[in-house]
């Protein structure tokens, strides 16, 4: 069950995350809703309101279905449901690539309207200027390199990175550029294990792996994948720690059977005129 939310604001800050380089691995998960944020908050260091929400909760084929309004609404819900974790909200595709001014405007809107601690954006060398501009505006940034879901249409699929020498050099350059631009941490996604480990040892900011390496400074998974709620394909790098999909299907099956046999609602679930001790509240 969810624990009580702490009453004081004792959130883990991006600079605290930054200081955890090389220490106990950082525990990160995505969250999109108030109840799930409440359940996860006591256990994690960082909650990412990922643009994966467009696929996971809204049924889009790719993360390109995410809008800034969608990210803000889910960011607000996760902020309401958490008090301890550092909350990072993804900048959706189309909200930061055009110019530094566009990137700062979008980041400021997300930060102001959600109260989140940081934003995340995808890209390395090509997006370093956007990261530097957002950081200069006072908003902490988490980078994201390797497999970039926002580029999946351009790349023709979810392609693992670091298989060729060219790929490796570009990945290292991306990691160094993101670090130099002032990001407080960087997600490394879908990258050959040894390359992700090597990058982790080369840069001074924490690396957060997903389909990367146990040597990364932290790990992140999409919450719905991790608890068995994803109805479509689950990537190879996911470990399912629960089967909530099976639990929901079983509950729905029992409910359907009890409604059809008129065993639900039972006496405990209806209001009798004889018993008013509980007042009128449901
Ligand atoms: O959108 C997302 O969930 C992400 C994680 C996969 C890191 O970016």
């Amino acid at each position: 069950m969810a624990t009580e939310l702490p009453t004081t604001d004792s959130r883990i800050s991006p600079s605290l995350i930054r200081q955890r380089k090389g220490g106990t691995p950082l525990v990160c998960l995505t969250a999109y809703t108030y109840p799930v944020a409440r359940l996860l908050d006591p256990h994690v260091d960082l909650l990412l309101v990922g643009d994966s929400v467009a696929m996971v909760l809204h049924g889009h084929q790719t993360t390109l279905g995410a809008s800034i309004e969608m990210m803000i609404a889910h960011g607000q819900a996760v902020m309401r449901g958490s008090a301890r974790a550092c909350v990072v909200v993804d900048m959706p595709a189309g909200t930061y690539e055009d110019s530094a001014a566009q990137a700062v405007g979008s980041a400021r809107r997300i930060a102001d309207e959600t109260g989140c601690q940081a934003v995340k954006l995808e890209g390395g060398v090509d997006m370093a200027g956007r990261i530097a501009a957002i950081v200069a505006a006072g908003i902490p940034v988490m980078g994201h390199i390797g497999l970039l879901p926002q580029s999946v249409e351009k790349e023709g699929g979810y392609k693992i990175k670091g298989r060729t020498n060219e790929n490796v050099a570009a990945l290292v350059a991306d990691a160094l550029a993101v670090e130099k631009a002032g990001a407080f941490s960087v997600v490394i996604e879908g990258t050959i294990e040894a390359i992700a480990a090597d990058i982790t040892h080369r840069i001074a900011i924490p690396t957060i792996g997903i389909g990367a390496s146990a040597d990364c400074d932290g790990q992140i998974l999409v919450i719905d994948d991790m608890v068995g709620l994803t109805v479509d394909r689950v990537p190879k790098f996911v470990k399912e720690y629960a089967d909530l999909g099976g639990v929901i299907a079983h509950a729905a099956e029992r409910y359907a059977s009890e409604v059809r046999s008129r065993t639900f609602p039972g006496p405990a679930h209806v209001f009798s005129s004889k018993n008013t001790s509980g007042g009128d509240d449901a």
Side-chain angles (χ1 to χ4, degrees):
M1 287 302 290
T3 50
E4 288 287 304
L5 280 172
T7 46
T8 53
D9 191 358
S10 48
R11 280 191 192 275
I12 298 167
S13 65
S15 61
L16 261 176
I17 297 281
R18 165 80 184 70
Q19 288 165 35
R20 294 269 303 270
K21 175 76 188 176
T24 304
L26 290 154
V27 180
C28 314
L29 280 169
T30 70
Y32 317 110
T33 64
Y34 169 82
V36 171
R38 278 200 65 171
L39 289 164
L40 301 182
D41 190 50
H43 305 288
V44 301
D45 299 303
L46 185 146
L47 289 172
L48 170 69
V49 186
D51 58 357
S52 50
V53 67
M55 301 171 72
V56 173
L57 291 195
H58 293 264
H60 288 277
Q61 286 296 305
T62 71
T63 59
L64 299 177
S67 65
I68 196 161
E69 289 75 22
M70 192 186 277
M71 299 313 303
I72 289 169
H74 288 285
Q76 290 170 339
V78 169
M79 284 298 290
R80 281 183 215 114
S82 61
R84 204 187 136 269
C86 179
V87 174
V88 179
V89 177
D90 250 341
M91 300 187 71
T95 66
Y96 61 91
E97 302 90 330
D98 286 355
S99 66
Q102 183 204 31
V104 171
S106 302
R108 188 165 283 140
R109 185 172 165 205
I110 292 171
D112 286 352
E113 293 186 32
T114 65
C116 66
Q117 277 64 59
V119 296
K120 175 168 84 58
L121 61 85
E122 295 183 10
V125 171
D126 56 340
M127 287 298 136
R130 310 289 184 272
I131 296 174
I134 298 169
V135 171
I139 302 165
V141 177
M142 175 181 243
H144 186 153
I145 63 169
L147 188 163
L148 304 179
Q150 291 179 6
S151 303
V152 71
E153 286 183 359
K154 231 182 316 176
E155 300 231 335
Y158 293 93
K159 305 268 194 279
I160 297 303
K161 299 292 174 169
R163 288 202 197 279
T164 64
N165 286 345
E166 202 180 301
N167 244 215
V168 173
L171 282 167
V172 172
D174 282 342
L176 294 170
V178 167
E179 176 189 30
K180 191 163 173 226
F184 71 94
S185 62
V186 61
V187 168
I188 305 181
E189 180 166 358
T191 296
I192 296 294
E193 203 270 329
I195 311 302
D198 181 47
I199 289 173
T200 298
H201 300 127
R202 281 182 191 232
I203 62 176
I205 56 173
T207 58
I208 310 297
I210 175 163
S213 168
D215 272 12
C216 287
D217 300 296
Q219 301 295 326
I220 188 162
L221 284 175
V222 166
I223 182 63
D224 291 58
D225 293 345
M226 192 274 249
V227 296
L229 264 181
T230 299
V231 287
D232 297 318
R233 183 187 154 271
V234 173
K236 166 188 152 75
F237 55 70
V238 171
K239 178 169 177 182
E240 287 188 7
Y241 286 82
D243 175 25
L244 296 195
V247 171
I248 290 176
H250 183 55
E253 193 183 325
R254 282 176 50 222
Y255 171 71
S257 155
E258 292 191 8
V259 168
R260 289 182 184 123
S261 64
R262 297 191 194 280
T263 45
F264 178 82
H269 312 113
V270 294
F271 302 98
S272 156
S273 57
K274 290 191 190 110
N275 181 358
T276 54
S277 60
D280 279 337
D281 290 346

